[in-house]
Amino acid sequence: MFAAYFTVTILASLFTGIAAVTYLIGHDYPKAQLDMKRLPHSWMPMLGMFLAAGSIGLLAGFIVPLLGTLAAAGLVLYFTGALIAHLRVGSRQLVGWAVFFSTVMATLAMNLNYHGYL
């Protein structure tokens, strides 16, 4: 059970960490996503910090389990907001969102199960 929990958590932390870096360095892809969703570019650092905090929180969860669970729940909320932003503008390009959302949702489920919160 630990191997699955560890693998899913590391994968989610890696995905969200890479996404955080792209937002924080001002890469063109997040800019295009914000333009498509009609959101201001001034939100990029804030969104990047949310992703970075979630990524670090997942890793910190190996030491403080509740922190990892809360980070996973926060990332689920973050990507729920991303879905709402997509649907608000009529975007049906949800493959990237689905990959991120399913990864953080699996991480939350593994955290809850592994630590006996369920």
Side-chain angles (χ1 to χ4, degrees):
M1 181 65 178
F2 178 76
Y5 159 68
F6 181 80
T7 303
V8 170
T9 302
I10 293 295
L11 187 64
S13 182
L14 183 65
F15 281 3
T16 57
I18 290 170
V21 169
T22 64
Y23 274 84
L24 293 172
I25 66 170
H27 192 271
D28 289 337
Y29 182 75
K31 288 179 184 176
Q33 288 294 307
L34 289 173
D35 289 340
M36 183 262 300
K37 295 172 190 145
R38 297 185 210 127
L39 297 172
H41 285 208
S42 63
W43 287 20
M44 279 184 59
M46 178 184 57
L47 295 172
M49 290 305 292
F50 287 153
L51 288 167
S55 179
I56 293 167
L58 290 176
L59 296 176
F62 290 122
I63 299 167
V64 181
L66 182 60
L67 188 58
T69 304
L70 292 174
L75 287 168
V76 167
L77 291 174
Y78 177 92
F79 287 109
T80 301
L83 175 64
I84 292 167
H86 273 279
L87 297 178
R88 182 178 63 88
V89 296
S91 171
R92 300 294 182 250
Q93 299 173 355
L94 299 173
V95 173
W97 171 84
V99 169
F100 278 95
F101 185 75
S102 60
T103 304
V104 298
M105 194 65 178
T107 304
L108 178 59
M110 291 298 289
N111 260 286
L112 293 172
N113 189 24
Y114 182 75
H115 296 298
Y117 297 133
L118 289 180

